[in-house]
Amino acid sequence: MVKLELDQVVMRRMKEDDIEVVKALIKEGSEGTENRLILHILTRPLCLFILAVLSSILRCLVHSFILALAIPVFLLIVFLKITMPRSTGVLGSSRPYWDYVGSSYRGTQDETLQNPYCRISGKTPVMKRPRRRISPKEKDKEVTTEKITPEREQTAGQVWLAECDFDIIGCIFRENESRAGIRRICRVVTGCWYRREGLGRLLVQSLEQRERETGAHRVYAHVPFPSKVGEVFFRKLGYQLLGEGTNNEDDEERNLEAPERGFLGYPLTKVFYKDL
């Protein structure tokens, strides 16, 4: 655990040459998410019933109780790993996670989020060192072969980075504005050495302040279903689970803001919301 001075954190838009660093940060933050989601689905009653039926059928064919039990489970795990939606934050392919939100590094890259701790302490955070100029030869070598399609451009969201002492220590993903006044947070990640230091709270609250100033009145956050830590985190920030209310507005929003669903229609994410 590293003691973090929150007033020295700079929050800026992700740039193209930050991709590999952020990719590693997201992979670290998503570690274990896929396995927890698979275990969640395997332990649902309907899924257990289907596995029991298949095992009973195989028991007559393979004449082995262990094989009859293991084969259906193994095949279902492989199927879930292949078909698990990328929007749950699971990595495992060559594409970066923000393929879900489009080419997020494109756009105005000099934007920053306001850090409220700077106003309290009166200090000015140290900005990142100027980047080394890349020669034309090096630039040709670094050109990506990935094709940016118009669909990805259209669905481009925003990735904001938290930077301190010239290191990227956290990030937050915000989807594109598909509905007027509505924003959606689909991922918040902090480096393992900077957790429980208030960095995640700083990222979320700073982004909320910016969205409030741009006219947003509600923010949604999608959290992987078995993530108790994520659920507690957003509840402490004033978010509510969608569907806990009983008014007609919540019923309408539940139809518009549906959680991700996987095998047999079981939900893979929980949807939280906060009115700004």
Side-chain angles (χ1 to χ4, degrees):
M1 186 72 67
V2 177
K3 184 63 178 179
L4 179 64
E5 296 182 6
L6 293 177
D7 56 358
Q8 293 299 304
V9 176
V10 177
M11 290 166 288
R12 61 175 179 83
R13 285 286 298 274
M14 184 181 72
K15 299 185 178 181
E16 189 170 2
D17 48 2
D18 296 321
I19 286 181
E20 293 304 320
V21 177
V22 178
K23 207 172 177 180
L25 185 65
I26 296 298
K27 186 174 183 178
E28 176 187 314
S30 300
E31 187 177 3
T33 302
E34 185 180 69
N35 293 332
R36 288 193 295 270
L37 285 171
I38 291 175
L39 181 62
H40 165 71
I41 293 176
L42 289 176
T43 54
R44 298 308 92 193
L46 180 58
C47 187
L48 290 174
F49 174 75
I50 293 175
L51 290 175
V53 172
L54 293 176
S55 296
S56 299
I57 296 174
L58 286 175
R59 180 70 177 84
C60 302
L61 300 176
V62 298
H63 304 289
S64 172
F65 176 78
I66 296 178
L67 286 178
L69 182 64
I71 290 175
V73 175
F74 174 77
L75 293 177
L76 182 55
I77 290 175
V78 172
F79 172 78
L80 292 175
K81 281 184 173 291
I82 294 174
T83 60
M84 190 74 71
R86 298 270 78 82
S87 56
T88 57
V90 179
L91 293 176
S93 65
S94 60
R95 288 185 175 277
Y97 164 76
W98 49 91
D99 193 54
Y100 179 50
V101 292
S103 307
S104 306
Y105 58 83
R106 300 197 171 200
T108 306
Q109 299 179 355
D110 296 329
E111 291 180 302
T112 58
L113 296 177
Q114 293 182 0
N115 188 333
Y117 289 92
C118 294
R119 296 195 301 269
I120 298 173
S121 66
K123 297 180 181 179
T124 303
V126 180
M127 298 296 289
K128 193 170 184 178
R129 293 190 186 104
R131 300 180 186 274
R132 180 177 62 87
R133 293 183 63 87
I134 302 175
S135 65
K137 292 183 178 179
E138 291 176 323
K139 190 173 182 179
D140 292 338
K141 293 180 180 179
E142 296 183 2
V143 172
T144 179
T145 58
E146 186 177 9
K147 182 179 179 181
I148 306 299
T149 62
E151 289 76 15
R152 288 187 64 187
E153 289 283 7
Q154 185 178 1
T155 59
Q158 296 177 2
V159 178
W160 297 87
L161 309 181
E163 193 174 71
C164 185
D165 294 332
F166 317 119
D167 291 326
I168 296 173
I169 59 176
C171 56
I172 184 170
F173 291 76
R174 197 219 77 183
E175 278 195 14
N176 67 311
E177 302 175 16
S178 57
R179 287 190 286 157
I182 301 296
R183 305 292 186 267
R184 185 183 294 113
I185 298 172
C186 51
R187 198 65 177 171
V188 181
V189 178
T190 58
C192 60
W193 293 101
Y194 301 94
R195 291 171 185 168
R196 301 185 183 277
E197 293 288 326
L199 179 59
R201 182 178 68 251
L202 175 63
L203 281 165
V204 173
Q205 292 179 338
S206 298
L207 183 59
E208 287 175 355
Q209 177 62 30
R210 181 183 184 278
E211 300 305 333
R212 185 183 297 111
E213 294 172 353
T214 58
H217 60 83
R218 175 171 284 194
V219 176
Y220 287 97
H222 287 242
V223 180
F225 196 91
S227 178
K228 296 297 183 182
V229 175
E231 181 175 346
V232 172
F233 171 77
F234 280 104
R235 285 189 182 277
K236 286 184 177 180
L237 291 176
Y239 284 74
Q240 293 180 312
L241 181 65
L242 186 63
E244 286 183 338
T246 57
N247 52 39
N248 294 330
E249 182 184 357
D250 285 344
D251 293 336
E252 295 177 1
E253 288 297 315
R254 288 180 67 179
N255 295 330
L256 295 173
E257 200 71 23
E260 285 288 345
R261 296 188 178 274
F263 182 65
L264 297 177
Y266 287 116
L268 299 179
T269 58
K270 290 183 178 180
V271 181
F272 291 84
Y273 73 95
K274 180 180 180 180
D275 292 322
L276 301 179

